[in-house]
Amino acid sequence: MTPTNPQFRILVAVDAASQLSNPWPPTLEMVATLARLKSRSAVTYHLPALKVGGWVESGPHNRGLRLTASGKRALKSGKVKP
């Protein structure tokens, strides 16, 4: 299973947000902005598939979003579904 284009952009955004100097986990708004999505609901729509795919994990209320080892491998491969 490979992530779709919007899901891949979310993975990239989560990775970029985690590399910022901000000590807090990224918010859904931050991820949406970095992924160039129109709203945080677009991120929320894709999160279940990203979690089932094993690419991301999060704390309660989707706070604390972070990449898993599988998510990091998906980023390195750069493969997405059209």
Side-chain angles (χ1 to χ4, degrees), residues 12-35:
V12 170
V14 170
D15 185 49
S18 69
Q19 293 179 16
L20 295 174
S21 61
N22 186 356
W24 304 103
T27 62
L28 294 177
E29 290 87 358
M30 179 186 284
V31 172
T33 300
L34 291 172

Side-chain angles (χ1 to χ4, degrees), residues 10-80:
I10 291 170
L11 292 177
V12 170
V14 170
D15 185 49
S18 69
Q19 293 179 16
L20 295 174
S21 61
N22 186 356
W24 304 103
T27 62
L28 294 177
E29 290 87 358
M30 179 186 284
V31 172
T33 300
L34 291 172
R36 299 180 322 263
L37 298 172
K38 292 184 180 185
S39 68
R40 72 177 186 181
S41 64
V43 176
T44 304
Y45 174 80
H46 290 288
L47 277 182
L50 290 169
K51 289 178 182 178
V52 168
W55 297 310
V56 297
E57 55 190 18
S58 67
H61 309 292
N62 296 325
R63 189 73 165 136
L65 201 58
R66 61 191 167 277
L67 291 180
T68 62
S70 296
K72 291 176 185 177
R73 281 193 302 274
L75 278 180
K76 285 184 181 180
S77 75
K79 296 180 182 176
V80 295

